[in-house]
Amino acid sequence: MNKKAIIIAPRALYVCAPAFDAEPDDEGWYGHVITCTEKLDGGWYKIVTPYRYETYAHKDDMLFDKAEIARREGEDTKLLRVWALAGDVHTEATHNGNVLITLYRGAIVERIEDENVRAGWTHVRLYGGAEGYMRSLQLGAYYDKPTLGEEELRHAVVSLAKQYLGTQYRWGGKSPLGIDCSGLVGSCYLMYGVDMYRNADIKENLLIMLMKGMFLLMNRADVATGNVAAII
């Protein structure tokens, strides 16, 4: 099977095997379109992420709706990313409004054109049809491909990575709640439209690119796990 779905959890759990107690593998960002390649017991699916990583996700974190997916991928749909570490979607354009959902950096929402929206706020649409408001400063451009020049991209990636200083380490993490080495590097590149493989388990050698903003892939036979890091 090749069935598309949209991630609708603020932080979708991706695991190494189709079970809730399986080893964490990765985390899905709200608004990402993934491809389900195999349906398994217990509501689990084998999936392929937008950055071509194969893992397992649960149906409760996904929306299977052809109309929503078509809208999400439509050329006329105005998409924005959450660039703040976290941002609330309010029912009204005020901090007094109820919170519909809290989204984390990397989430993708649809912008609704609204000339009457309160200054400093953006009218957004969530997947499934609910609408709300986010602080404009929490949102930024959505890049589905690289647009920056090489040198500018390097500096931008490093600057973004430094914003995670103080974030706790979490195996398989890819959010401000907790993040691991490849999650950090891959996230920072992905925000600028650059796809990168999720973890360090690619080759049995040492790949070093000693340039600012480039990445290190360390996966040696004499260590239990590999590591990914960015040159700053």
Side-chain angles (χ1 to χ4, degrees):
M1 67 180 295
N2 279 288
K3 186 176 182 180
K4 289 185 176 181
I6 303 175
I7 296 299
I8 56 171
R11 185 182 66 84
L13 175 68
Y14 295 163
V15 287
C16 295
F20 285 111
D21 58 354
E23 178 183 333
D25 193 25
D26 190 10
E27 291 178 346
W29 288 351
Y30 182 91
H32 267 186
V33 177
I34 54 93
T35 301
C36 299
T37 58
E38 184 179 356
K39 186 176 182 180
L40 304 164
D41 293 337
W44 290 95
Y45 286 85
K46 186 174 184 180
I47 69 165
V48 179
T49 69
Y51 39 95
R52 300 183 296 278
Y53 188 64
E54 294 186 1
T55 185
Y56 297 92
H58 196 267
K59 66 178 180 62
D60 290 349
D61 292 336
M62 298 181 279
L63 175 65
F64 296 94
D65 188 311
K66 291 182 179 179
E68 283 292 314
I69 294 170
R71 180 171 179 144
R72 159 68 175 78
E73 297 183 325
E75 293 183 0
D76 296 330
T77 303
K78 297 178 175 62
L79 299 177
L80 295 172
R81 268 207 195 273
V82 175
W83 283 77
L85 292 176
D88 291 334
V89 180
H90 295 261
T91 55
E92 301 176 41
T94 171
H95 291 298
N96 296 331
N98 291 329
V99 175
L100 293 171
I101 190 173
T102 298
L103 300 177
Y104 301 107
R105 173 173 283 172
I108 304 168
V109 296
E110 179 183 343
R111 177 181 179 178
I112 301 296
E113 295 292 345
D114 187 349
E115 296 180 354
N116 299 316
V117 70
R118 184 181 178 184
W121 291 81
T122 298
H123 190 174
V124 301
R125 182 182 185 276
L126 301 174
Y127 304 103
E131 295 184 15
Y133 302 86
M134 296 188 70
R135 292 297 306 271
S136 300
L137 56 79
Q138 296 172 332
L139 300 166
Y142 165 71
Y143 301 105
D144 60 355
K145 58 184 177 182
T147 60
L148 300 179
E150 184 176 322
E151 188 66 20
E152 187 179 6
L153 175 63
R154 291 175 187 162
H155 285 277
V157 166
V158 171
S159 178
L160 198 63
K162 288 181 177 179
Q163 295 178 23
Y164 286 90
L165 287 171
T167 302
Q168 69 172 342
Y169 181 88
R170 175 180 288 171
W171 184 268
K174 201 169 64 182
S175 83
L177 298 179
I179 201 163
D180 65 12
C181 54
S182 57
L184 172 63
V185 176
S187 295
C188 292
Y189 276 98
L190 190 58
M191 292 291 288
Y192 288 101
V194 180
D195 292 341
M196 184 175 292
Y197 197 75
R198 174 58 176 91
N199 61 30
D201 189 20
I202 302 177
K203 299 179 181 179
E204 296 182 357
N205 61 356
L206 176 67
L207 175 62
I208 303 177
M209 300 182 186
L210 294 176
M211 300 176 69
K212 184 171 184 175
M214 299 305 285
F215 69 92
L216 297 176
L217 172 62
M218 296 170 284
N219 191 348
R220 295 168 48 188
D222 59 343
V223 294
T225 59
N227 289 280
V228 175
I231 300 295
I232 62 172

